[in-house]
Amino acid sequence: MPGVPAAPDMTTQPRPVYVIGAGPGGLAVAAALRARGVRAVVVEKSDEVGASWRRHYDRLHLHTTRRLSALPGLPMPRRFGRWVSRDDVVRYLEKYVEFHELELVTGVEVTRIEAAPEGEDGWALHASGGRVLAAAAVVVATGYNHTPVIPDWPGRDAYEGRLLHAADYRNPEAYAGRDVLVVGVGNTGAEIAVDLAEGGAARVRLAVRTVPHIMRRSTAGWPAQRSGILVRRLPVRLVDRLSRLVARASVPDLSAYGLPRPTTGLYSRVKEGSIPVQDVGLIDAVRSGRVEPVAAVESFDGAEVVLADGSRIGPDAVIAATGYHRALEGLVGDLGVLDERGRPSTHGARTAARAPGLYFTGFTNPISGMFREMALDAERIAKAVARQERSRSRSR
C-alpha cells in the first residue's frame, strides 16, 4: 500500500476546481488534481460517496479486473478478489476519499453551470440553498447511469402487475415463485435475469429487441477486458472479424433458444454505444431453459404484456433494464456542449471551444473498461487544468 500523499499548498488558490459528482470518475479527477497541487472540491448531491453504486443490485460485480479498475494513486486490495463486488467498490471509494484527503461537500446539488460574470474567467455554479460557487474550472462527473428511463409503452400505466426499473431491483427474494419478465438484454438485464432464475423465480423471460453480442468474461484466465484494451485502437472492421471468430470458438450458438448470433459486428456496435454482454451465467441459463428469450415489448393490456411477435404473456412483474438518461440538459444545456442525444460533445481533457475549462468524465462506456478509462481521463484532465492554472498565474 503506498504512503499517504503529502498535502500540497493550496492556500494561494481562492477559486478551486469544482468536481460535480462523488462517484469513481469525480473522485479520480479530484485526486489527480490534488497530486498536481491544484485545489479541487468535490460537490455531491447525496450524503455519501458512490451513491449510484450503493443503489445497484446486490449481485453486481465489476466486469473488469481488480488490477485494471483501480483509480489513480490507490490500488484495490487483493482481498477484493479478481471481480470486485458492489460493496467492495463502495468501500474502496470511501477509502479513496480518506487516503487522498479529498475536499468533499455532500448534500449540495449543482443545478446550473454558466460562464463567470463579464470581465472574469472561469465559471459560476448555481447550487441548492441559493449558493453561487466561483470556479476556476469545472469537471462534470455526474455519471453514465443518472436518471432511469422506462419507455412509454402503450397501456403501461394501467398494467395490473408490478412494473419497475432495474435501478430499483435489489435481489430475487421478492420474486420467489413468481413469473417475471426482464426487458432489455444489456449487461444489467442479463445479470438480473440470471439472478432471478437462480434465486427461485418460477419463470423468467427476457425480452430482446436487438440481439446482443455475448462474450465470456474470461477465457482460460484471459479477461475480455484485456482483449478490449488491445483492440480498441484497431480498425473497426478488423476487430469485427476477429471478434466473430472468437465468439464462434468460445460462445455456443443460441439460435434454437431465441438468441441468434448478431449480424452486425461487435466493435461496430460498440462505436454506436452498445457494449457486449459479459457472460456471468446467461448462456447456461438460456440453454437450460431457466431464462427464456422472447420478443420485444410492444404494449401492455391490463394484466398482459403484448410482444412484438403478437404473442401475449401474463407476468407477475416486469423489470425494465431499459437504460438511463445522462440528464445534463438542466446543468449545461444552455452552453452548447451536448450532442443531439444529450451526451457531452467533448470528453476527458478536450473541451468545447465555446466552453474552455469545462470538462466531462464518465459519460462513455468503453470496451476497455469504464473504471480504467476514468482513471486515464483523470490524469489527462488534471494535466490540462494544471497547465491552464500555470498559464493563468503567469499572466497575473
Side-chain angles (χ1 to χ4, degrees):
M1 182 76 68
V4 176
D9 180 11
M10 300 178 184
T11 58
T12 61
Q13 300 174 27
R15 288 191 311 162
V17 175
Y18 277 98
V19 180
I20 306 173
L27 298 181
V29 171
L33 286 167
R34 181 185 182 281
R36 286 172 169 77
V38 178
R39 184 186 175 203
V41 177
V42 182
V43 182
E44 167 58 45
K45 70 176 182 179
S46 72
D47 295 328
E48 300 172 298
V49 300
S52 64
W53 275 91
R54 296 173 192 272
R55 293 192 299 267
H56 284 313
Y57 50 94
D58 298 348
R59 177 193 179 100
L60 181 64
H61 285 67
L62 288 177
H63 291 160
T64 54
T65 66
R66 170 181 53 83
R67 287 188 175 183
L68 295 174
S69 300
L71 303 179
L74 184 66
M76 287 188 172
R78 292 187 64 182
R79 68 178 183 275
F80 285 179
R82 194 180 199 194
W83 312 106
V84 182
S85 71
R86 177 202 65 182
D87 291 346
D88 282 337
V89 169
V90 172
R91 292 186 185 98
Y92 175 72
L93 297 179
E94 291 173 337
K95 179 63 178 179
Y96 197 80
V97 173
E98 176 187 341
F99 178 79
H100 285 292
E101 298 180 346
L102 300 183
E103 197 170 343
L104 174 66
V105 178
T106 59
V108 174
E109 180 179 8
V110 176
T111 55
R112 191 172 83 258
I113 300 172
E114 59 183 28
E118 189 173 352
E120 300 179 20
D121 55 8
W123 299 91
L125 281 60
H126 295 262
S128 53
R131 301 173 180 87
V132 179
L133 310 173
V138 181
V139 182
V140 179
T142 49
Y144 189 82
N145 296 336
H146 189 276
T147 303
V149 175
I150 297 180
D152 189 18
W153 291 300
R156 183 191 74 178
D157 295 339
Y159 174 54
E160 295 173 12
R162 184 184 181 194
L163 172 62
L164 67 152
H165 192 275
D168 296 315
Y169 174 84
R170 294 294 173 268
N171 57 60
E173 290 180 8
Y175 306 93
R178 312 281 282 177
D179 184 332
V180 187
L181 173 66
V182 180
V183 184
V185 68
N187 279 293
T188 297
E191 191 158 1
I192 288 176
V194 172
D195 198 33
L196 289 163
E198 294 178 351
R203 187 174 189 179
V204 180
R205 283 173 283 209
L206 182 59
V208 180
R209 183 171 298 279
T210 303
V211 179
H213 285 275
I214 302 174
M215 58 194 308
R216 301 288 189 182
R217 185 170 64 174
S218 179
T219 303
W222 178 265
Q225 181 189 8
R226 286 200 177 275
S227 297
I229 294 170
L230 290 174
V231 305
R232 65 189 304 262
R233 303 294 185 189
L234 295 178
V236 172
R237 288 186 179 181
L238 174 60
V239 180
D240 282 347
R241 289 197 294 269
L242 292 173
S243 61
R244 191 176 299 116
L245 294 173
V246 171
R248 291 189 180 279
S250 61
V251 176
D253 186 358
L254 301 175
S255 299
Y257 305 95
L259 280 180
R261 295 190 190 277
T263 56
T264 54
L266 182 150
Y267 206 31
S268 295
R269 288 265 195 96
V270 169
K271 291 296 187 180
E272 295 170 357
S274 178
I275 295 298
V277 170
Q278 303 272 338
D279 177 47
V280 289
L282 180 66
I283 293 173
D284 289 342
V286 168
R287 295 177 80 182
S288 67
R290 291 175 295 141
V291 172
E292 308 167 46
V294 297
V297 171
E298 285 294 303
S299 63
F300 288 76
D301 185 7
E304 293 185 321
V305 179
V306 182
L307 303 180
D309 60 5
S311 61
R312 290 171 173 258
I313 59 176
D316 300 309
V318 176
I319 300 173
T322 45
Y324 297 78
H325 281 320
R326 309 294 89 82
L328 293 170
E329 289 80 3
L331 189 65
V332 296
D334 295 335
L335 301 177
V337 294
L338 303 179
D339 65 16
E340 66 281 357
R341 296 171 61 183
R343 303 171 304 181
S345 55
T346 60
H347 200 269
R350 293 189 302 114
T351 63
R354 66 183 68 189
L358 177 61
Y359 302 88
F360 295 88
T361 185
F363 292 97
T364 62
N365 196 5
I367 195 173
S368 49
M370 183 175 283
F371 270 56
R372 178 181 182 273
E373 294 304 320
M374 287 191 293
L376 295 173
D377 271 350
E379 298 288 6
R380 295 170 185 141
I381 292 171
K383 183 177 180 180
V385 172
R387 185 167 57 244
Q388 178 187 14
E389 288 298 295
R390 287 195 299 270
S391 176
R392 185 176 290 153
S393 297
R394 286 194 295 267
S395 64
R396 289 187 183 128

